[in-house]
């Protein structure tokens, strides 16, 4: 099978999976509640269209395609970071104090990524814009991978019963593993040409895997799962239980 034909098949499979996720979100009337998820899916679809237009209009070696690819990659990295923040907020829906602390941490992480990217490229003024785009999106993807792992551990610590959120986090972790593995391969092999060839296969496959997991999550896993009541809510529930039992039918 030709590589271009293989990539095209993966691309259309991703489109079909994206539409499937949106369809089941709309069918369950969850688009408003899952606005960040829907926005990220819309960004994925828009980026695919923009890149395809640049590729077929200007060619793979054109400067127009290069800028469209890396600029849209930054958009995806920013969207992924915002989605991770939204998933943190969902995981802490019953823990407002914890979310306040985590919100500060997430803002600090984004500021740190931007600062490190600027500092590491402060001496490369000739190609500051293009190199900063690459450095920034790589650092942000790595930060998202770490944060997504921390989110999974946090859910296990909180003993969350939101199974759909669990699958969403797993799928997002698979998506982040593609750029992370490609970046690691690039540093180990000291060759951007080989890493670019690997990335052209690995990243679309990871994206398709993520979308397949998300499709299963929104289609088969219940969207609203009651969580364990704790703290003051548990005391209040226990106090009201005798009153409910004594209430005449």
């Amino acid at each position: 099978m030709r590589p271009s034909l293989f990539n095209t098949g993966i691309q259309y499979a991703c489109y079909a999976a994206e539409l499937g996720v949106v369809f089941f979100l709309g069918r369950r009337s969850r688009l408003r509640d899952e606005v960040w998820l829907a926005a990220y899916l819309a960004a994925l679809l828009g980026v695919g269209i923009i890149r395809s237009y640049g590729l077929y209009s200007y060619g793979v070696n054109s400067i127009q395609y290069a800028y469209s690819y890396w600029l849209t990659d930054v958009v995806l990295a920013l969207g992924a970071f915002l989605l991770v923040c939204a998933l943190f907020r969902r995981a802490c829906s019953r823990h407002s104090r914890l979310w306040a602390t985590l919100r500060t941490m997430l803002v600090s992480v984004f500021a740190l990524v931007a600062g490190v990217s600027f500092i590491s490229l402060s001496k490369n003024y000739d190609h500051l814009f293009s190199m900063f785009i690459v450095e920034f999106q790589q650092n942000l993807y790595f930060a998202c991978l770490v944060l997504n792992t921390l989110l999974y551990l946090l859910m296990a610590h909180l003993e969350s019963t939101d199974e759909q959120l669990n699958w969403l986090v797993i799928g997002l972790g698979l998506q982040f593993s593609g750029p992370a593995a490609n970046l690691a391969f690039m540093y180990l092999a000291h060759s951007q040409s080989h890493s670019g060839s690997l990335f052209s296969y690995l990243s679309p496959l990871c994206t398709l895997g993520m979308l397949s997991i998300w499709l299963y999550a929104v289609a088969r896993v219940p969207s609203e799962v009651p969580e364990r009541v704790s703290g003051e809510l548990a005391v209040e529930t226990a106090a009201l239980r005798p009153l409910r039992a004594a209430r005449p039918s």
Side-chain angles (χ1 to χ4, degrees), residues 85-103 106 151 154-155 158 160 162 165 227:
C85 294
L87 296 181
F88 264 104
R89 179 67 182 90
R90 176 171 170 175
C92 299
S93 59
R94 296 183 180 273
H95 305 83
S96 57
R97 292 184 179 180
L98 178 59
W99 165 242
T101 302
L102 291 175
R103 181 175 54 193
L106 293 171
L151 174 57
L154 176 65
M155 292 171 58
L158 297 177
S160 173
D162 192 343
L165 177 60
E227 295 186 353

Side-chain angles (χ1 to χ4, degrees), residues 214-236:
W214 283 5
L215 182 59
Y216 168 78
V218 299
R220 303 300 299 271
V221 180
S223 57
E224 294 183 2
V225 179
E227 295 186 353
R228 179 177 301 178
V229 181
S230 59
E232 296 179 358
L233 292 177
V235 175
E236 181 181 354

Side-chain angles (χ1 to χ4, degrees), residues 31-217:
L31 281 176
R32 179 176 299 180
D33 297 332
E34 305 292 348
V35 61
W36 288 109
L37 181 61
Y40 185 70
L41 291 171
L44 281 177
L45 181 60
V47 165
I49 295 174
I50 292 174
R51 288 179 177 179
S52 298
Y53 175 79
L55 176 63
Y56 291 111
S57 298
Y58 302 101
V60 67
N61 296 320
S62 64
I63 188 64
Q64 292 88 348
Y65 175 71
Y67 273 104
S68 67
Y69 182 90
W70 290 111
L71 286 174
T72 53
D73 211 45
V74 172
V75 172
L76 287 181
L78 290 172
F81 182 81
L82 292 175
L83 180 58
V84 170
C85 294
L87 296 181
F88 264 104
R89 179 67 182 90
R90 176 171 170 175
C92 299
S93 59
R94 296 183 180 273
H95 305 83
S96 57
R97 292 184 179 180
L98 178 59
W99 165 242
T101 302
L102 291 175
R103 181 175 54 193
T104 303
M105 180 200 70
L106 293 171
V107 174
S108 301
V109 167
F110 182 82
L112 180 63
V113 168
V116 169
S117 301
F118 270 117
I119 293 174
S120 63
L121 297 173
S122 60
K123 297 182 180 180
N124 299 315
Y125 294 107
D126 294 337
H127 304 88
L128 181 61
F129 179 71
S130 58
M131 292 185 65
F132 172 75
I133 288 177
V134 177
E135 183 77 12
F136 176 71
Q137 64 93 11
Q138 288 177 348
N139 292 339
L140 193 56
Y141 266 127
F142 180 75
C144 287
L145 177 61
V146 174
L147 290 173
N148 194 72
T149 304
L150 292 177
L151 174 57
Y152 188 83
L153 296 176
L154 176 65
M155 292 171 58
H157 175 72
L158 297 177
E159 298 182 354
S160 173
T161 57
D162 192 343
E163 290 296 329
Q164 188 183 88
L165 177 60
N166 184 61
W167 284 106
L168 293 177
V169 172
I170 292 175
L172 200 57
L174 180 61
Q175 164 71 355
F176 293 146
S177 65
N182 178 71
L183 183 61
F185 182 83
M186 182 182 67
Y187 282 118
L188 290 175
H190 301 286
S191 173
Q192 293 188 6
S193 61
H194 294 160
S195 65
S197 177
L198 178 65
F199 183 78
S200 65
Y201 294 99
L202 183 60
S203 182
L205 286 174
C206 289
T207 301
L208 180 60
M210 176 196 69
L211 292 171
S212 300
I213 293 174
W214 283 5
L215 182 59
Y216 168 78

